[in-house]
Amino acid sequence: MPWVFPLLIAVHGIVVDTSGDPVPFAYISCGGNGTYTDMDGTFSLEGAECRALKVEHIAYRDTLVRVSSGHVRIVLRPYALQMEASIVRARYEKVIQTIDEEDISDGIFDEPLVNPEPTPYGAGISLSAMPPEYTLVLVDGHPVYGRILGSVDVFSLPLSGAKRVEIMSGSSSALYGSYAVGGVINIITGDAGTFYASSSGDFRVAWPISSRFGSSIYAGKSLYRPVVVYSLGTSINSPIFLRMDASWKENPSTGETITDFRGYGDFLGFYLNYFGHTYRIKGAVRSFTSEYHLSWSDTREGLLGGGILKWRYGFHGEWMKSNLVNGFPFYGEGFAAFEYTRSRYSVAGRLVMDNRLRFPVFLPQVSVEMGLLVFNLGAGYRPPHLKEMYIYLDYPELGFRVEGNPNLRPEKSVSTSIALSMDFLFLSLRYSRIWDYIDADIGYYDGNTPVFVYTNTDSYEAFSHEGRLVYSAGGWGFRASWQVAKSGFDVPPYRMRVGVSRGGWSVDFFMVGSTRFAPAYSRWSISRGLKVGDVEIKVGIRDVFGQTANLDVPYLKGRELYAQVNF
């Protein structure tokens, strides 16, 4: 099939699904122009410099449509799994759980797909029974760097300033790179105002400053970690993307204070990221770390053989400066990736070459749909983080020390899954294995002090089963989701959530199994949502019976009343 060449044209039309119903909020782009469909599914795009329109919607497959006239009718094919427009299946048939804004702040950890992993620096997120360092965190599609002990602290990010959080499980290294072996979390920021407060003392305020430039400010406190965020140019059509985050945590019992600062932006196609981390105890700086990231990439696409071919290429470099290491350790890589999608299968590949390799590494990924069944197979590659190689953290108050290892080998991984996907039910089985797995274990003793050193172990295996069930009838809604997992990482053996809703009321039951470091627990929650004009209000009670009040888990606070207003 020939490639598509530019042509200046004004395009009007309608976007519908396979049943002929209009699809609102689909994003139509062509050349440098873009627009959304309205509630009737109609759109108008003036001065589009191409003969093909790209149509994107979270609940439907991306579609590239030829334009031969000024008016077009576009039919979108939904993903095989479509539950209340909140649980959908993404390209490569990975499950995306979308958490809407009223549930983001603390309800993110009530989603069985998400396993929180508290650390001295906050909390990381584990997906697909994999350690949190294998979860790629994005804000508006931009990667967030700055990992302490391997993971990004999710509570240092603007959760309540977000419109939704998209969670995609399963290996995505061929598409997103080495950090995405376990999955991807994408925080989508909003342009509306939000106020949240709870009886535990948490509060959050998100306030839009300029809709023209996508400017907003967010401040709040969650999980004993205050955070202040200023963002500029995060709107979908803004030519500038700039965000600055600052957060700090205090522990009165030990006198320690941890402060983080992030600044990241997108200028002329170059993505810059800075992360600074300061750990103080009783006023003295114990450690200071700075990371600098610079990346560039370009993406092209076209029609080929009845499918969509997309290819991407670029480079990424990162530097580290710390009072714990000498010099500026550096890591750099170049990559070229492709993705070809047709109605029943998808194939992708990523070719990587970095400054530690002698030969390039190729990462394939394939997905095949056979009726209601979907098969996936993908490979992953993760080089050691700079901190895993050069970190030196001394915790005399806790009685141990952590050291890096410059001789670490890269990790290699493979992930495979099979899924049954229906309109109301989704079931999946996933198996992953990592070779040369990097972990911190006791390497030696300095007197009586154990010293944890990052080393390559033999292998790491993870098995997980995930399920989703959504049903509605007669004004009642029922939903259930669960995950059963077994892995070398300390994840709960099971997590389950069941909920019933009617007339704005919602009742949920959540249950999680025990791990080596956290007890089993369960809790009930109830909430009521209503809309007054353009203002959305939600009030509720988490842990109605106070079942988690005496558990030593930072994100469990016992009975908690809360209210959130979106305006």
Side-chain angles (χ1 to χ4, degrees), residues 1 25 42 55 100 162-163 171 188 197 222-223 267 297 348 355 398 416-417 452 465 482 543 552 562 567:
M1 179 173 290
F25 308 118
T42 59
V55 187
D100 294 326
K163 180 167 58 177
S171 177
I188 307 297
S222 182
L223 193 68
F267 305 94
S297 64
N355 61 327
L398 303 177
T416 182
S417 66
F452 290 82
H465 160 62
W482 62 91
D543 194 4
D552 188 20
Y562 68 93
F567 52 90

Side-chain angles (χ1 to χ4, degrees), residues 298 305 414 458 554:
D298 189 21
V414 64
D458 292 335

Side-chain angles (χ1 to χ4, degrees), residues 300-366:
R300 305 293 179 90
E301 64 181 40
L303 301 174
L304 179 66
I308 300 176
L309 176 65
K310 179 183 295 185
W311 63 98
R312 185 169 177 256
Y313 49 90
F315 68 86
H316 171 77
E318 57 186 80
W319 298 260
M320 171 182 167
K321 176 60 178 176
S322 172
N323 61 347
L324 305 175
V325 298
N326 295 321
F328 281 82
F330 169 77
Y331 170 77
E333 72 171 30
F335 68 90
F338 77 91
E339 172 190 3
Y340 182 66
T341 304
R342 294 195 66 171
S343 60
R344 293 295 177 179
Y345 68 87
S346 299
V347 180
R350 186 182 185 93
L351 189 68
V352 180
M353 184 65 188
D354 63 37
N355 61 327
R356 303 171 189 165
L357 290 171
R358 296 181 60 186
F359 302 100
V361 173
F362 180 71
L363 306 175
Q365 190 161 336
V366 62

Side-chain angles (χ1 to χ4, degrees), residues 211-439:
S211 59
R212 178 181 179 184
F213 296 103
S215 178
S216 62
I217 191 169
Y218 159 75
K221 183 181 78 70
S222 182
L223 193 68
Y224 54 76
R225 191 175 181 88
V227 58
V228 177
V229 176
Y230 172 76
S231 62
L232 171 66
T234 57
S235 63
I236 190 70
N237 293 317
S238 174
I240 300 175
F241 176 88
L242 175 66
R243 181 183 294 276
M244 293 176 288
D245 305 345
S247 64
W248 61 94
K249 178 181 70 173
E250 297 180 2
N251 190 332
S253 61
T254 63
E256 67 176 354
T257 302
I258 298 173
T259 305
D260 292 338
F261 175 81
R262 285 189 180 89
Y264 37 105
D266 193 347
F267 305 94
L268 302 177
F270 289 90
Y271 180 61
L272 298 92
N273 184 289
Y274 167 79
F275 174 74
H277 174 86
T278 304
Y279 168 57
R280 301 172 181 265
I281 184 157
K282 300 187 184 305
V285 176
R286 177 61 54 83
S287 66
F288 172 79
T289 302
S290 293
E291 292 182 26
Y292 305 87
H293 299 259
L294 175 64
S295 58
W296 172 87
S297 64
D298 189 21
T299 302
R300 305 293 179 90
E301 64 181 40
L303 301 174
L304 179 66
I308 300 176
L309 176 65
K310 179 183 295 185
W311 63 98
R312 185 169 177 256
Y313 49 90
F315 68 86
H316 171 77
E318 57 186 80
W319 298 260
M320 171 182 167
K321 176 60 178 176
S322 172
N323 61 347
L324 305 175
V325 298
N326 295 321
F328 281 82
F330 169 77
Y331 170 77
E333 72 171 30
F335 68 90
F338 77 91
E339 172 190 3
Y340 182 66
T341 304
R342 294 195 66 171
S343 60
R344 293 295 177 179
Y345 68 87
S346 299
V347 180
R350 186 182 185 93
L351 189 68
V352 180
M353 184 65 188
D354 63 37
N355 61 327
R356 303 171 189 165
L357 290 171
R358 296 181 60 186
F359 302 100
V361 173
F362 180 71
L363 306 175
Q365 190 161 336
V366 62
S367 174
V368 180
E369 185 177 333
M370 300 178 62
L372 298 177
L373 296 178
V374 181
F375 301 89
N376 296 282
L377 179 64
Y381 164 83
R382 186 182 79 86
H385 303 308
L386 291 178
K387 288 191 175 72
E388 292 172 333
M389 301 176 68
Y390 300 105
I391 199 169
Y392 182 97
L393 293 177
D394 191 7
Y395 294 94
E397 300 82 8
L398 303 177
F400 70 91
R401 191 165 75 233
V402 180
E403 292 183 0
N405 180 1
N407 299 315
L408 290 173
R409 299 184 301 275
E411 297 176 339
K412 285 76 68 178
S413 64
V414 64
S415 178
T416 182
S417 66
I418 180 173
L420 171 68
S421 185
M422 304 173 66
D423 290 340
F424 63 95
L425 177 67
F426 179 85
L427 302 172
S428 73
L429 294 174
R430 179 175 291 109
Y431 171 79
S432 302
R433 182 167 184 172
I434 301 174
W435 289 270
D436 290 328
Y437 174 59
I438 298 173
D439 195 13

Side-chain angles (χ1 to χ4, degrees), residues 502-506 526-531 537-540 562:
R502 180 179 173 86
W505 288 92
S506 180
I526 184 171
S527 64
R528 175 72 165 95
L530 62 149
K531 189 170 184 178
I537 303 173
K538 184 177 181 180
V539 295
Y562 68 93

Side-chain angles (χ1 to χ4, degrees), residues 5 83 122 217 284 309 484:
F5 296 97
M83 302 179 178
I217 191 169
L309 176 65
V484 179

